Amino acid sequence: MDNSVDSDTEIVSIQNLSFSRGDRKIFNDISLSIPRGKITAIMGPSGTGKTTLLKLIGGQLYPDQGKVLVDKQNVHQLKRADLYTLRKRMGMLFQSGALLTDLSVFDNVALPLREHTTLSESMIRSLVLIKLQAVGLRGARDLMPNELSGGMARRVALARAIALDPMMIMYDEPFTGQDPISLGTLVKLIKEMNNVLGLTSIIVSHDVEETIGIADYIYVLSEGKIAGQGTPEQIKNLDSEWVQQFMNGHADGPVHFHYPADNYHKDLFEN
Amino acid sequence: MIRFFQHLGHSTTSSFAKLGRSFFFLTHTLTASVSVIPRPRLLINQLYSVGVLSFLIITISGLFVGMVLGLQGFYILSDFGAEETLGVMVAASLVRELGPVVAALLFAGRAGSALTAEIGLMKATEQLSGMEMMAIDPLKRIIAPRFLAGFIAMPLLAALFSSVGVLGGHMVGVGMLGVDDGAYWSQMQAGLDFQDDIINGIIKSIVFGFAVSWISLFEGYDAIPTSEGVSRATTRTVVNSAFTILGLDFILTALMFGDI
Amino acid sequence: MQNTKTQDTLVGLFVACGIAALFFMAMQISNLNGFSTDNAYTINARFENSGGLKVKSPVSVAGVRIGRVSNISIDRDSYESIVEMQIDAQYSLPDDTSASIFTAGLLGEQYISLEPGGSEDPLPANGLIDITQSAIVLEEIIGQFLFDKAAEE
């Protein structure tokens, strides 16, 4: 396997990670590495634990085995205070946006600044406006989260995620349930963030088209294992039936259309 | 049969686990509460939603409870020709029992359920998780101010309930049924002791405020983050708060008034 | 969300109302203003039997409350009950005051009623009242009554 990434350019390194929920093994001894300054996508069908992986990287969940290194620090052995310091350098964009519903757009973006810095209020105001301008929502600063559309909420959340100028951003299903215009805006924004701010981006998604369009490197997960990896080109031509089924969205293939069941005829005429 | 024991064992272990989690939650909340002190704005916001918004239901209920006590008390006491002691009866029942207990039950229904639903929904919409990822401790930013607000608001609400109730009893007893005004107040003052009655009543309401805030915040924080989970947690808050209030009331009353 | 100033005002009003209610309970509902031990002097009385008298039972003169019982103990030599009372400093009593233990109503609380005499000299602080009438113990009266009844027959 081509896993020889130089440790200086590697920002997240996952080594032999296993994680299970109840009796179900979500990850079974997987290793992957995410290079600095690139957009890495982690793909897979719903329920393969993509969000779980992000929570493991962020230190919100603990693995059964293996370790997660972020910027050379073992996330799960850090003390609480150190973990919090590390988290200030990682932004995470939740699927729902996770904006605080009792704060306005402006206050939501200002929240991490107010919590973690001692900047003056006028300084915070300028910073918030810069971040909101970057996502094109400077005019929406006085709206409340319930007045925003899904796409706008995600953009505000993105502004909030970059408020502290993190080294990396994790996007949890950024493209799900968006209309074509918001989708285009988000794709453009993620690309821009990565290029202009020099961020590292980790995208977790099952939207093949959009992800292939912007990712530099793709991991495809299936049943707790890495089913395939490579650049978008390599993935497209990968010699794996399963990956081809996933990427092209075939109804039948290694993943059967039918949920495992008894013989149809027998089942139907039994009684 | 084996099923039954399995079920029993499972529910025993899970309730102990929950109890453990709730104590863990409480100690964390208490330590996090210190960080609210330099940021009074967070507390004021919560005092508004916990205290000010409960004000109306508490005072109106207090008024009616006092009026009913005045009416019922008058009919019973007048059989013994002891209408003059109406003041003591109304005030003692309110200050010792009804004030703290009914105010706490109403508080659990009005503010406690709202707290659970709010925290539960914050969890369901990943707001708590999102804060953690922003390196903001939700216990400090969200839970602790609400806990403190409940803890502060409860004694004030109970005092309001009792005071308004005593005035309600006065309205009915003195205003409508003709009990002597002087007797109403002087019998009350002679019959109730500051230390034994008022202070003990306040202690009760402080304990209830602590318990209700703890239960409602924990149920929200521990809720299964789905709409069904949150609605169940809200119900549990009201039910568990009611049981806890009444149970604690018995224990406190026995300790305070019953020379145990 | 309400604007911050309105919210502040309402919270302020709420806290003020709550504190006012606490004051109301202390001053108007209970006897905190009626009597405070800060401004009082102590007197003692000896009773053969202090019955159901308790600490904090009222002490009154002519039906007006002027103090309260602060301690009840027993004299080890005479086996009499010594009742210590706190009397509001604004009331001065003559030194031949007598004390009786009465019951408020048939089944009510017991209290001390002081009956001032005609002496010119005031009772000093920590003074002792000699002339006392003990509590009436209901069982004793009933016993007496039954005994008399039996003796008659």
Side-chain angles (χ1 to χ4, degrees), chain B residues 68-234:
Chain B
V68 169
L69 277 176
L71 202 59
Q72 291 283 16
F74 180 83
Y75 290 133
I76 293 170
L77 292 173
S78 60
D79 284 349
F80 303 100
E83 301 96 280
E84 265 63 41
T85 56
L86 184 67
V88 199
M89 204 212 87
V90 170
S93 5
L94 279 168
V95 170
R96 287 183 189 167
E97 293 294 337
L98 292 175
V101 171
V102 178
L105 290 173
L106 291 169
F107 182 75
R110 171 67 186 78
S113 58
L115 283 178
T116 306
E118 190 189 14
I119 305 292
L121 282 174
M122 283 183 136
K123 191 178 178 188
T125 54
E126 296 177 311
Q127 293 183 48
L128 296 184
S129 200
M131 294 186 91
E132 274 180 27
M133 284 307 297
M134 284 190 283
I136 299 169
D137 188 347
L139 283 171
K140 282 185 188 158
R141 184 66 176 61
I142 302 288
I143 306 288
R146 285 165 174 75
F147 183 80
L148 281 182
F151 186 62
I152 294 171
M154 189 63 248
L156 299 179
L157 289 170
L160 278 165
F161 187 95
S162 300
S163 304
V164 172
V166 167
L167 294 176
H170 183 268
M171 234 164 72
V172 170
V174 176
M176 291 158 63
L177 300 170
V179 174
D180 181 59
D181 181 52
Y184 186 83
W185 293 116
S186 67
Q187 289 275 357
M188 187 188 303
Q189 287 161 8
L192 268 76
D193 185 73
F194 179 70
Q195 181 76 37
D196 284 353
D197 296 313
I198 310 286
I199 295 287
N200 280 347
I202 294 172
I203 291 174
K204 274 187 179 180
S205 61
I206 291 175
V207 173
F208 296 161
F210 186 91
V212 174
S213 310
W214 177 17
I215 291 172
S216 38
L217 290 170
F218 175 70
E219 287 293 355
Y221 196 73
D222 201 50
I224 298 161
T226 60
S227 40
E228 198 202 356
V230 173
S231 87
R232 279 185 182 201
T234 311

Side-chain angles (χ1 to χ4, degrees), chain A residues 177-194:
Chain A
Q178 296 294 313
D179 63 73
I181 299 174
S182 334
L183 201 62
T185 319
L186 276 165
V187 170
K188 175 174 166 288
L189 273 173
I190 293 174
K191 245 187 192 157
E192 260 178 22
M193 292 292 160
N194 212 72

Side-chain angles (χ1 to χ4, degrees), chain A residues 60 80 87 96 100 115-116, chain B residues 39 132 134-135 137 141:
Chain A
Q60 284 190 310
R80 192 177 164 77
R87 277 185 188 165
S96 57
L100 295 189
E115 291 284 331
H116 296 311
Chain B
R39 307 174 63 188
E132 274 180 27
M134 284 190 283
D137 188 347
R141 184 66 176 61

